Amino acid sequence: MSLLNEMSRKAFDLGVPISVHLDVTYRCNERCVHCYLDHEDHGEMTTSEIKGVLDQLAEAGVFFLTFSGGEVFLRRDFFEILEYARRLQFNVKVKTNAVMIRESEAKRIRALGVDTIQISVYSHRAEVHDAITKLPGSFVRTIKAIRFMRDQGLKVTIANVLMTWNLHDNDGLQKLAGELGVHYTLDPTITPMMDGDRGVLDLGVGQEELRQVFRDTSLVGDVEEFCAISTNDQDALENLPCSAGHTSCYVSPYGDVFPCVQFPLPTGNVRTRRFIDIWQNSDEMNEVRAIRVKDLSTCTSCSHVSNCSRCPGLAFMEGNMRGPSTSDCERSFARTGVPSANMLAKAQAKTRVAANLVQIRALPTLAGATA
């Protein structure tokens, strides 16, 4: 067992939130077409408030801390926050578009001992990347920043979101990452807007594109491992849906605590309640913790139950945290070619609707019936 897995297991056994994602702002200098955030500032936490939260996280046993946004460097106090976090000995990861990072900022990040920098890049072609971010020149500035940070010896990851706008650019961007000497990740998940608007999901790619992604060993590793299907795995039914609320959680710029950044179930606010109290005693957080795979509607009868990547947050946004996540059902199908129980149920429902329409159309018209 790796050290990380051992830490996670012990954190779970002890009820420790070992990993926290903290968004310091929703403001951003880009307006990405797929972004789910409201970029207005509705009263984000002050410097002193965030430092107070960091103290509470450290006391609660948090070790891995991810700073994200919005764009973190739009906060003029971000380096002060970052320095304070490192003083508390958090292992820090920073997510950024890197547009505001120059050589001096790269050197300071390195001096503070940040573990990883994750940078959003959507294409190897400037015109495609800039069209997605809606910020002219953003590609050139971001790539230049990546070189600055690479030269400082920082661990850099390029994170790409696959969507209809860039679905042909994955290979080119992966090659660019290799030339830059940085890691590359690809995520086909499009998340609904914070206000519930699901129109952005139209940017999601189709089954054929997903199938190509999940057959690329350079992206997903051992493909055959994903394709192992079990229809009656009792151990899997006792498993947890994911780590959200068990060993990890999310804190918004306004102090709201959620099980995960993609799980918008409010569990409390650190401005009015201590983090550890929310973590241990929130009714909502404990409800999330109580769920096992066997409690999930539809999913328990699914052939993918033992290896599904189902996100309870995405399921929650579809209306039921104990229900299936359609996007994850589509991923499982792309990996294996075997439709999920949810997909089969929807297909059967469509068939019944179509059959009913045929019967209705076959009925005599009102005029004909009374003639």
Side-chain angles (χ1 to χ4, degrees), residues 294-325:
K294 65 182 180 182
D295 302 316
L296 305 178
S297 60
T298 307
C299 300
T300 52
S301 62
C302 184
S303 60
H304 296 275
V305 68
S306 63
N307 58 22
C308 182
S309 60
R310 172 189 173 276
C311 172
L314 293 177
F316 176 77
M317 284 188 272
E318 285 190 39
N320 182 7
M321 73 172 80
R322 291 175 175 80
S325 162

PDB file of all heavy atoms in Angstrom, residues 294-325:
ATOM      1  N   LYS A 294     -24.982   0.352  -1.880  1.00  0.00           N
ATOM      2  CA  LYS A 294     -26.228  -0.427  -1.812  1.00  0.00           C
ATOM      3  C   LYS A 294     -27.463   0.448  -1.630  1.00  0.00           C
ATOM      4  O   LYS A 294     -28.588   0.001  -1.847  1.00  0.00           O
ATOM      5  CB  LYS A 294     -26.149  -1.437  -0.671  1.00  0.00           C
ATOM      6  CG  LYS A 294     -26.067  -0.804   0.716  1.00  0.00           C
ATOM      7  CD  LYS A 294     -25.934  -1.851   1.805  1.00  0.00           C
ATOM      8  CE  LYS A 294     -25.859  -1.214   3.195  1.00  0.00           C
ATOM      9  NZ  LYS A 294     -25.691  -2.226   4.260  1.00  0.00           N
ATOM     10  N   ASP A 295     -27.272   1.719  -1.227  1.00  0.00           N
ATOM     11  CA  ASP A 295     -28.387   2.640  -1.009  1.00  0.00           C
ATOM     12  C   ASP A 295     -28.764   3.415  -2.264  1.00  0.00           C
ATOM     13  O   ASP A 295     -29.716   4.200  -2.247  1.00  0.00           O
ATOM     14  CB  ASP A 295     -28.039   3.640   0.100  1.00  0.00           C
ATOM     15  CG  ASP A 295     -27.686   2.961   1.407  1.00  0.00           C
ATOM     16  OD1 ASP A 295     -28.395   2.012   1.778  1.00  0.00           O
ATOM     17  OD2 ASP A 295     -26.707   3.384   2.063  1.00  0.00           O
ATOM     18  N   LEU A 296     -28.011   3.235  -3.344  1.00  0.00           N
ATOM     19  CA  LEU A 296     -28.232   4.022  -4.551  1.00  0.00           C
ATOM     20  C   LEU A 296     -29.338   3.418  -5.410  1.00  0.00           C
ATOM     21  O   LEU A 296     -29.298   2.232  -5.745  1.00  0.00           O
ATOM     22  CB  LEU A 296     -26.942   4.099  -5.369  1.00  0.00           C
ATOM     23  CG  LEU A 296     -25.702   4.635  -4.634  1.00  0.00           C
ATOM     24  CD1 LEU A 296     -24.495   4.593  -5.557  1.00  0.00           C
ATOM     25  CD2 LEU A 296     -25.941   6.039  -4.111  1.00  0.00           C
ATOM     26  N   SER A 297     -30.314   4.240  -5.748  1.00  0.00           N
ATOM     27  CA  SER A 297     -31.392   3.764  -6.612  1.00  0.00           C
ATOM     28  C   SER A 297     -30.828   3.491  -8.009  1.00  0.00           C
ATOM     29  O   SER A 297     -29.960   4.205  -8.492  1.00  0.00           O
ATOM     30  CB  SER A 297     -32.505   4.810  -6.691  1.00  0.00           C
ATOM     31  OG  SER A 297     -32.018   6.038  -7.211  1.00  0.00           O
ATOM     32  N   THR A 298     -31.296   2.467  -8.647  1.00  0.00           N
ATOM     33  CA  THR A 298     -30.896   2.043  -9.995  1.00  0.00           C
ATOM     34  C   THR A 298     -29.492   1.432 -10.020  1.00  0.00           C
ATOM     35  O   THR A 298     -29.283   0.360 -10.590  1.00  0.00           O
ATOM     36  CB  THR A 298     -30.948   3.219 -11.004  1.00  0.00           C
ATOM     37  OG1 THR A 298     -32.227   3.830 -10.961  1.00  0.00           O
ATOM     38  CG2 THR A 298     -30.649   2.731 -12.416  1.00  0.00           C
ATOM     39  N   CYS A 299     -28.532   2.092  -9.373  1.00  0.00           N
ATOM     40  CA  CYS A 299     -27.130   1.681  -9.491  1.00  0.00           C
ATOM     41  C   CYS A 299     -26.857   0.289  -8.918  1.00  0.00           C
ATOM     42  O   CYS A 299     -25.949  -0.405  -9.380  1.00  0.00           O
ATOM     43  CB  CYS A 299     -26.224   2.705  -8.811  1.00  0.00           C
ATOM     44  SG  CYS A 299     -26.354   4.368  -9.517  1.00  0.00           S
ATOM     45  N   THR A 300     -27.597  -0.108  -7.897  1.00  0.00           N
ATOM     46  CA  THR A 300     -27.308  -1.393  -7.260  1.00  0.00           C
ATOM     47  C   THR A 300     -27.534  -2.573  -8.209  1.00  0.00           C
ATOM     48  O   THR A 300     -26.929  -3.623  -8.050  1.00  0.00           O
ATOM     49  CB  THR A 300     -28.190  -1.596  -6.013  1.00  0.00           C
ATOM     50  OG1 THR A 300     -29.563  -1.389  -6.359  1.00  0.00           O
ATOM     51  CG2 THR A 300     -27.795  -0.608  -4.924  1.00  0.00           C
ATOM     52  N   SER A 301     -28.401  -2.394  -9.202  1.00  0.00           N
ATOM     53  CA  SER A 301     -28.675  -3.478 -10.150  1.00  0.00           C
ATOM     54  C   SER A 301     -27.841  -3.364 -11.425  1.00  0.00           C
ATOM     55  O   SER A 301     -28.029  -4.128 -12.362  1.00  0.00           O
ATOM     56  CB  SER A 301     -30.158  -3.468 -10.530  1.00  0.00           C
ATOM     57  OG  SER A 301     -30.500  -2.251 -11.175  1.00  0.00           O
ATOM     58  N   CYS A 302     -26.898  -2.417 -11.424  1.00  0.00           N
ATOM     59  CA  CYS A 302     -26.126  -2.129 -12.639  1.00  0.00           C
ATOM     60  C   CYS A 302     -24.888  -3.012 -12.739  1.00  0.00           C
ATOM     61  O   CYS A 302     -24.208  -3.274 -11.739  1.00  0.00           O
ATOM     62  CB  CYS A 302     -25.717  -0.659 -12.652  1.00  0.00           C
ATOM     63  SG  CYS A 302     -24.859  -0.160 -14.155  1.00  0.00           S
ATOM     64  N   SER A 303     -24.556  -3.447 -13.925  1.00  0.00           N
ATOM     65  CA  SER A 303     -23.378  -4.283 -14.144  1.00  0.00           C
ATOM     66  C   SER A 303     -22.079  -3.518 -13.932  1.00  0.00           C
ATOM     67  O   SER A 303     -21.014  -4.119 -13.826  1.00  0.00           O
ATOM     68  CB  SER A 303     -23.400  -4.861 -15.560  1.00  0.00           C
ATOM     69  OG  SER A 303     -23.401  -3.830 -16.527  1.00  0.00           O
ATOM     70  N   HIS A 304     -22.168  -2.185 -13.856  1.00  0.00           N
ATOM     71  CA  HIS A 304     -20.972  -1.357 -13.651  1.00  0.00           C
ATOM     72  C   HIS A 304     -20.736  -1.033 -12.177  1.00  0.00           C
ATOM     73  O   HIS A 304     -19.845  -0.254 -11.852  1.00  0.00           O
ATOM     74  CB  HIS A 304     -21.098  -0.045 -14.420  1.00  0.00           C
ATOM     75  CG  HIS A 304     -21.148  -0.190 -15.906  1.00  0.00           C
ATOM     76  ND1 HIS A 304     -20.033  -0.281 -16.690  1.00  0.00           N
ATOM     77  CD2 HIS A 304     -22.207  -0.287 -16.754  1.00  0.00           C
ATOM     78  CE1 HIS A 304     -20.377  -0.403 -17.955  1.00  0.00           C
ATOM     79  NE2 HIS A 304     -21.698  -0.419 -18.017  1.00  0.00           N
ATOM     80  N   VAL A 305     -21.521  -1.611 -11.288  1.00  0.00           N
ATOM     81  CA  VAL A 305     -21.524  -1.166  -9.899  1.00  0.00           C
ATOM     82  C   VAL A 305     -20.152  -1.261  -9.232  1.00  0.00           C
ATOM     83  O   VAL A 305     -19.822  -0.459  -8.363  1.00  0.00           O
ATOM     84  CB  VAL A 305     -22.582  -1.954  -9.083  1.00  0.00           C
ATOM     85  CG1 VAL A 305     -22.178  -3.417  -8.931  1.00  0.00           C
ATOM     86  CG2 VAL A 305     -22.801  -1.309  -7.715  1.00  0.00           C
ATOM     87  N   SER A 306     -19.325  -2.205  -9.638  1.00  0.00           N
ATOM     88  CA  SER A 306     -18.037  -2.402  -8.966  1.00  0.00           C
ATOM     89  C   SER A 306     -16.932  -1.509  -9.486  1.00  0.00           C
ATOM     90  O   SER A 306     -15.872  -1.404  -8.877  1.00  0.00           O
ATOM     91  CB  SER A 306     -17.595  -3.862  -9.081  1.00  0.00           C
ATOM     92  OG  SER A 306     -17.387  -4.211 -10.441  1.00  0.00           O
ATOM     93  N   ASN A 307     -17.155  -0.831 -10.627  1.00  0.00           N
ATOM     94  CA  ASN A 307     -16.075  -0.010 -11.170  1.00  0.00           C
ATOM     95  C   ASN A 307     -16.539   1.341 -11.704  1.00  0.00           C
ATOM     96  O   ASN A 307     -15.785   2.014 -12.398  1.00  0.00           O
ATOM     97  CB  ASN A 307     -15.329  -0.772 -12.283  1.00  0.00           C
ATOM     98  CG  ASN A 307     -16.247  -1.198 -13.418  1.00  0.00           C
ATOM     99  OD1 ASN A 307     -17.310  -0.622 -13.619  1.00  0.00           O
ATOM    100  ND2 ASN A 307     -15.827  -2.203 -14.172  1.00  0.00           N
ATOM    101  N   CYS A 308     -17.739   1.755 -11.367  1.00  0.00           N
ATOM    102  CA  CYS A 308     -18.281   3.016 -11.879  1.00  0.00           C
ATOM    103  C   CYS A 308     -17.591   4.209 -11.212  1.00  0.00           C
ATOM    104  O   CYS A 308     -17.271   4.184 -10.030  1.00  0.00           O
ATOM    105  CB  CYS A 308     -19.788   3.078 -11.626  1.00  0.00           C
ATOM    106  SG  CYS A 308     -20.561   4.588 -12.270  1.00  0.00           S
ATOM    107  N   SER A 309     -17.408   5.259 -11.985  1.00  0.00           N
ATOM    108  CA  SER A 309     -16.820   6.489 -11.456  1.00  0.00           C
ATOM    109  C   SER A 309     -17.895   7.498 -11.059  1.00  0.00           C
ATOM    110  O   SER A 309     -17.636   8.698 -11.008  1.00  0.00           O
ATOM    111  CB  SER A 309     -15.897   7.112 -12.519  1.00  0.00           C
ATOM    112  OG  SER A 309     -16.650   7.420 -13.693  1.00  0.00           O
ATOM    113  N   ARG A 310     -19.093   6.996 -10.764  1.00  0.00           N
ATOM    114  CA  ARG A 310     -20.239   7.852 -10.452  1.00  0.00           C
ATOM    115  C   ARG A 310     -19.903   8.972  -9.470  1.00  0.00           C
ATOM    116  O   ARG A 310     -19.335   8.747  -8.413  1.00  0.00           O
ATOM    117  CB  ARG A 310     -21.377   7.008  -9.864  1.00  0.00           C
ATOM    118  CG  ARG A 310     -22.553   7.816  -9.333  1.00  0.00           C
ATOM    119  CD  ARG A 310     -23.516   6.930  -8.575  1.00  0.00           C
ATOM    120  NE  ARG A 310     -24.555   7.713  -7.927  1.00  0.00           N
ATOM    121  CZ  ARG A 310     -24.411   8.292  -6.731  1.00  0.00           C
ATOM    122  NH1 ARG A 310     -23.269   8.175  -6.075  1.00  0.00           N
ATOM    123  NH2 ARG A 310     -25.394   8.981  -6.200  1.00  0.00           N
ATOM    124  N   CYS A 311     -20.292  10.201  -9.821  1.00  0.00           N
ATOM    125  CA  CYS A 311     -20.093  11.363  -8.956  1.00  0.00           C
ATOM    126  C   CYS A 311     -21.408  11.681  -8.249  1.00  0.00           C
ATOM    127  O   CYS A 311     -22.397  12.025  -8.900  1.00  0.00           O
ATOM    128  CB  CYS A 311     -19.646  12.566  -9.781  1.00  0.00           C
ATOM    129  SG  CYS A 311     -19.604  14.122  -8.843  1.00  0.00           S
ATOM    130  N   PRO A 312     -21.464  11.581  -6.912  1.00  0.00           N
ATOM    131  CA  PRO A 312     -22.712  11.874  -6.206  1.00  0.00           C
ATOM    132  C   PRO A 312     -23.126  13.338  -6.336  1.00  0.00           C
ATOM    133  O   PRO A 312     -24.307  13.664  -6.262  1.00  0.00           O
ATOM    134  CB  PRO A 312     -22.399  11.507  -4.755  1.00  0.00           C
ATOM    135  CG  PRO A 312     -20.922  11.565  -4.652  1.00  0.00           C
ATOM    136  CD  PRO A 312     -20.399  11.157  -5.982  1.00  0.00           C
ATOM    137  N   GLY A 313     -22.128  14.211  -6.547  1.00  0.00           N
ATOM    138  CA  GLY A 313     -22.453  15.621  -6.733  1.00  0.00           C
ATOM    139  C   GLY A 313     -23.212  15.867  -8.020  1.00  0.00           C
ATOM    140  O   GLY A 313     -24.198  16.603  -8.052  1.00  0.00           O
ATOM    141  N   LEU A 314     -22.743  15.244  -9.110  1.00  0.00           N
ATOM    142  CA  LEU A 314     -23.448  15.377 -10.385  1.00  0.00           C
ATOM    143  C   LEU A 314     -24.827  14.729 -10.302  1.00  0.00           C
ATOM    144  O   LEU A 314     -25.797  15.239 -10.877  1.00  0.00           O
ATOM    145  CB  LEU A 314     -22.621  14.737 -11.505  1.00  0.00           C
ATOM    146  CG  LEU A 314     -21.296  15.436 -11.840  1.00  0.00           C
ATOM    147  CD1 LEU A 314     -20.552  14.663 -12.921  1.00  0.00           C
ATOM    148  CD2 LEU A 314     -21.525  16.872 -12.274  1.00  0.00           C
ATOM    149  N   ALA A 315     -24.924  13.618  -9.568  1.00  0.00           N
ATOM    150  CA  ALA A 315     -26.235  12.988  -9.358  1.00  0.00           C
ATOM    151  C   ALA A 315     -27.149  13.928  -8.585  1.00  0.00           C
ATOM    152  O   ALA A 315     -28.344  14.058  -8.900  1.00  0.00           O
ATOM    153  CB  ALA A 315     -26.064  11.670  -8.604  1.00  0.00           C
ATOM    154  N   PHE A 316     -26.601  14.587  -7.567  1.00  0.00           N
ATOM    155  CA  PHE A 316     -27.361  15.547  -6.769  1.00  0.00           C
ATOM    156  C   PHE A 316     -27.905  16.673  -7.649  1.00  0.00           C
ATOM    157  O   PHE A 316     -29.055  17.099  -7.509  1.00  0.00           O
ATOM    158  CB  PHE A 316     -26.470  16.109  -5.663  1.00  0.00           C
ATOM    159  CG  PHE A 316     -27.101  17.184  -4.828  1.00  0.00           C
ATOM    160  CD1 PHE A 316     -28.031  16.874  -3.853  1.00  0.00           C
ATOM    161  CD2 PHE A 316     -26.758  18.518  -5.015  1.00  0.00           C
ATOM    162  CE1 PHE A 316     -28.612  17.862  -3.071  1.00  0.00           C
ATOM    163  CE2 PHE A 316     -27.336  19.517  -4.248  1.00  0.00           C
ATOM    164  CZ  PHE A 316     -28.260  19.197  -3.267  1.00  0.00           C
ATOM    165  N   MET A 317     -27.067  17.155  -8.585  1.00  0.00           N
ATOM    166  CA  MET A 317     -27.499  18.239  -9.481  1.00  0.00           C
ATOM    167  C   MET A 317     -28.542  17.766 -10.476  1.00  0.00           C
ATOM    168  O   MET A 317     -29.258  18.570 -11.058  1.00  0.00           O
ATOM    169  CB  MET A 317     -26.289  18.848 -10.194  1.00  0.00           C
ATOM    170  CG  MET A 317     -25.479  19.768  -9.293  1.00  0.00           C
ATOM    171  SD  MET A 317     -24.178  20.683 -10.165  1.00  0.00           S
ATOM    172  CE  MET A 317     -22.838  19.516 -10.068  1.00  0.00           C
ATOM    173  N   GLU A 318     -28.631  16.437 -10.671  1.00  0.00           N
ATOM    174  CA  GLU A 318     -29.702  15.892 -11.506  1.00  0.00           C
ATOM    175  C   GLU A 318     -30.983  15.697 -10.709  1.00  0.00           C
ATOM    176  O   GLU A 318     -32.028  15.377 -11.268  1.00  0.00           O
ATOM    177  CB  GLU A 318     -29.269  14.554 -12.115  1.00  0.00           C
ATOM    178  CG  GLU A 318     -28.283  14.686 -13.258  1.00  0.00           C
ATOM    179  CD  GLU A 318     -28.072  13.381 -13.991  1.00  0.00           C
ATOM    180  OE1 GLU A 318     -29.062  12.637 -14.182  1.00  0.00           O
ATOM    181  OE2 GLU A 318     -26.927  13.106 -14.379  1.00  0.00           O
ATOM    182  N   GLY A 319     -30.883  15.867  -9.376  1.00  0.00           N
ATOM    183  CA  GLY A 319     -32.084  15.807  -8.553  1.00  0.00           C
ATOM    184  C   GLY A 319     -32.083  14.793  -7.442  1.00  0.00           C
ATOM    185  O   GLY A 319     -32.992  14.786  -6.609  1.00  0.00           O
ATOM    186  N   ASN A 320     -31.059  13.916  -7.380  1.00  0.00           N
ATOM    187  CA  ASN A 320     -31.080  12.865  -6.358  1.00  0.00           C
ATOM    188  C   ASN A 320     -29.658  12.381  -6.081  1.00  0.00           C
ATOM    189  O   ASN A 320     -29.051  11.726  -6.931  1.00  0.00           O
ATOM    190  CB  ASN A 320     -31.949  11.695  -6.814  1.00  0.00           C
ATOM    191  CG  ASN A 320     -32.044  10.585  -5.774  1.00  0.00           C
ATOM    192  OD1 ASN A 320     -31.573  10.725  -4.648  1.00  0.00           O
ATOM    193  ND2 ASN A 320     -32.657   9.477  -6.157  1.00  0.00           N
ATOM    194  N   MET A 321     -29.121  12.678  -4.879  1.00  0.00           N
ATOM    195  CA  MET A 321     -27.759  12.269  -4.560  1.00  0.00           C
ATOM    196  C   MET A 321     -27.623  10.751  -4.461  1.00  0.00           C
ATOM    197  O   MET A 321     -26.512  10.220  -4.477  1.00  0.00           O
ATOM    198  CB  MET A 321     -27.286  12.923  -3.265  1.00  0.00           C
ATOM    199  CG  MET A 321     -27.905  12.367  -1.992  1.00  0.00           C
ATOM    200  SD  MET A 321     -27.123  13.020  -0.490  1.00  0.00           S
ATOM    201  CE  MET A 321     -27.909  14.625  -0.362  1.00  0.00           C
ATOM    202  N   ARG A 322     -28.742  10.044  -4.346  1.00  0.00           N
ATOM    203  CA  ARG A 322     -28.715   8.583  -4.306  1.00  0.00           C
ATOM    204  C   ARG A 322     -29.043   7.969  -5.660  1.00  0.00           C
ATOM    205  O   ARG A 322     -29.174   6.754  -5.788  1.00  0.00           O
ATOM    206  CB  ARG A 322     -29.715   8.062  -3.244  1.00  0.00           C
ATOM    207  CG  ARG A 322     -29.311   8.374  -1.811  1.00  0.00           C
ATOM    208  CD  ARG A 322     -30.394   7.956  -0.836  1.00  0.00           C
ATOM    209  NE  ARG A 322     -29.989   8.131   0.540  1.00  0.00           N
ATOM    210  CZ  ARG A 322     -29.999   9.291   1.200  1.00  0.00           C
ATOM    211  NH1 ARG A 322     -30.425  10.388   0.573  1.00  0.00           N
ATOM    212  NH2 ARG A 322     -29.599   9.370   2.455  1.00  0.00           N
ATOM    213  N   GLY A 323     -29.160   8.807  -6.655  1.00  0.00           N
ATOM    214  CA  GLY A 323     -29.488   8.312  -7.987  1.00  0.00           C
ATOM    215  C   GLY A 323     -28.267   8.241  -8.880  1.00  0.00           C
ATOM    216  O   GLY A 323     -27.147   8.539  -8.465  1.00  0.00           O
ATOM    217  N   PRO A 324     -28.445   7.833 -10.120  1.00  0.00           N
ATOM    218  CA  PRO A 324     -27.325   7.740 -11.066  1.00  0.00           C
ATOM    219  C   PRO A 324     -26.918   9.107 -11.590  1.00  0.00           C
ATOM    220  O   PRO A 324     -27.693  10.062 -11.556  1.00  0.00           O
ATOM    221  CB  PRO A 324     -27.892   6.867 -12.187  1.00  0.00           C
ATOM    222  CG  PRO A 324     -29.362   7.130 -12.137  1.00  0.00           C
ATOM    223  CD  PRO A 324     -29.708   7.354 -10.696  1.00  0.00           C
ATOM    224  N   SER A 325     -25.689   9.197 -12.053  1.00  0.00           N
ATOM    225  CA  SER A 325     -25.180  10.384 -12.739  1.00  0.00           C
ATOM    226  C   SER A 325     -25.094  10.048 -14.214  1.00  0.00           C
ATOM    227  O   SER A 325     -24.313   9.192 -14.621  1.00  0.00           O
ATOM    228  CB  SER A 325     -23.799  10.761 -12.191  1.00  0.00           C
ATOM    229  OG  SER A 325     -23.120  11.622 -13.090  1.00  0.00           O
TER     230      SER A 325
END
